Amino acid sequence: MVGTPPGKRRWSVGVKDPDAPDHLLGAIDLQEGSVSTSANDSNFLVADGQRFGHLLDPHSLEPSSASESVTIVSRDGTLADAMSKAAFMLGPRQGIALIDSYPALAGLIAYRRSDGHVGVVVSRRLAGSFHPAPTRMPQR
């Protein structure tokens, strides 16, 4: 994104809730940059009643379940796209550590908690710009 939307100081980018794709986990406010999200909720295969995501773990060659979705913000769109996939494979703890290790990146990772609900971890540089939805809010 270059510049700002008419009449506003920042862009507001919604992050989909992996459990309810017509709702948001929250929104990221940013002035400019690229945003890339990697998730298994759009591209998947259903075989024998089981859903398989398109993001494959390079170690096992099986669909990765380390994350539900990863959203990266960067000035470089290609870097944002590549890092969203890498962080997805690493999962919440190692993925956020990877994101935080690059000064030009910010991001968040949605993952499946042990209780079955979706959890979210946010990188240090995104903490002030991500606004979680108080409850699941419908997309506009």
Side-chain angles (χ1 to χ4, degrees):
M1 291 173 260
V2 178
T4 56
K8 297 189 177 189
R9 295 177 39 198
R10 299 186 188 283
W11 293 95
S12 184
V13 179
V15 178
K16 287 195 316 184
D17 183 329
D19 283 346
D22 57 334
H23 290 82
L24 300 176
L25 284 175
I28 299 169
D29 292 334
L30 64 146
Q31 286 187 287
E32 62 182 5
S34 297
V35 178
S36 177
T37 298
S38 290
N40 277 328
D41 65 346
S42 298
N43 296 321
F44 57 88
L45 166 73
V46 177
D48 295 327
Q50 189 173 359
R51 186 171 157 161
F52 298 95
H54 75 290
L55 296 169
L56 301 180
D57 182 327
H59 296 100
S60 66
L61 300 180
E62 298 285 331
S64 177
S65 60
S67 305
E68 294 294 319
S69 71
V70 175
T71 299
I72 300 287
V73 177
S74 172
R75 289 185 181 268
D76 182 328
T78 302
L79 180 62
D81 183 55
M83 295 304 283
S84 68
K85 289 162 182 56
F88 188 98
M89 295 301 146
L90 292 172
R93 190 175 65 233
Q94 291 178 306
I96 284 297
L98 175 68
I99 295 165
D100 281 336
S101 74
Y102 283 81
L105 294 181
L108 68 90
I109 299 176
Y111 65 98
R112 186 71 50 198
R113 297 185 328 208
S114 60
D115 65 4
H117 292 93
V118 173
V120 177
V121 291
V122 180
S123 70
R124 289 188 304 259
R125 282 177 289 286
L126 193 65
S129 301
F130 176 67
H131 308 288
T135 58
R136 292 182 170 163
M137 35 186 223
Q139 291 185 51
R140 292 185 211 162

